[in-house]
């Protein structure tokens, strides 16, 4: 199935100014439709990708709990109409719920190979929230 890419999708990322007890990686769906989200990250030695979180419009979800352990995280999202928020960092995924170790040889291991976009949280961030928005800019900020 060929999916269309949402043109001019704005992805707004910012470090949260919340109390230290709430150090998490979160994603908020500020679009008009439901989105499915996957995340990938490394612990410095191995890669892990996991999904899917299904977020209704105007909902937020904590994807990783606790202080951030890395500077870079990778996210892929798709909406109900086939639109995608994607990038050039390829990770392993599959259609149903998953938690996959490693990002190499996805097809040979029976997985899909999906392009994730990179989030640079900075070296000292303890928490982070990604705001996923429609290209129309109609989403609440």
């Amino acid at each position: 199935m060929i999916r269309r890419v949402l043109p001019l999708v704005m992805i707004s990322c910012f470090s949260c100014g919340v109390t230290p007890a709430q150090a998490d990686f979160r994603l908020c769906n500020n679009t008009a439709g439901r989105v499915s989200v996957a995340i990938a990250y490394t612990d410095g030695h191995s890669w892990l990708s996991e999904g899917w979180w299904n977020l209704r419009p105007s909902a937020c979800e904590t994807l990783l709990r606790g202080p951030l352990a890395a500077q870079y995280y990778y996210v892929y999202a798709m909406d109900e109409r086939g639109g995608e928020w994607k990038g050039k960092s390829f990770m392993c995924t599959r259609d149903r719920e998953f938690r996959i170790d490693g990002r190499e040889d996805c097809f040979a291991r029976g997985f899909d190979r999906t392009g994730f976009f990179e989030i640079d949280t900075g070296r000292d961030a303890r928490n982070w929230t990604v705001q996923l928005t429609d290209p129309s800019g109609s989403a609440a900020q």
Side-chain angles (χ1 to χ4, degrees), residues 20-113:
Q22 296 178 342
D24 297 322
F25 188 99
R26 295 173 45 84
L27 187 133
C28 294
N29 176 15
N30 292 326
T31 73
R34 182 175 295 273
V35 296
S36 296
V37 178
I39 189 170
Y41 52 93
T42 181
D43 62 6
H45 302 288
S46 60
W47 284 93
L48 181 67
S49 57
E50 47 187 320
W52 296 99
W53 288 266
N54 295 300
L55 282 76
R56 66 185 185 285
S58 302
C60 294
E61 182 73 36
T62 299
L63 305 185
L64 298 171
R65 297 199 180 279
L68 300 183
Q71 179 176 347
Y72 297 98
Y73 292 84
Y74 300 84
V75 173
Y76 171 81
M78 65 182 162
D79 68 18
E80 300 169 307
R81 299 176 307 253
E84 299 176 285
W85 292 262
K86 63 182 183 175
K88 297 179 181 179
S89 298
F90 290 95
M91 310 292 173
C92 300
T93 61
R94 67 178 172 191
D95 288 340
R96 62 186 185 275
E97 185 177 336
F98 66 91
R99 183 177 171 96
I100 301 170
D101 290 318
R103 64 185 277 188
E104 65 288 327
D105 302 320
C106 297
F107 296 127
R109 296 190 298 147
F111 302 119
D112 297 319
R113 185 173 177 258

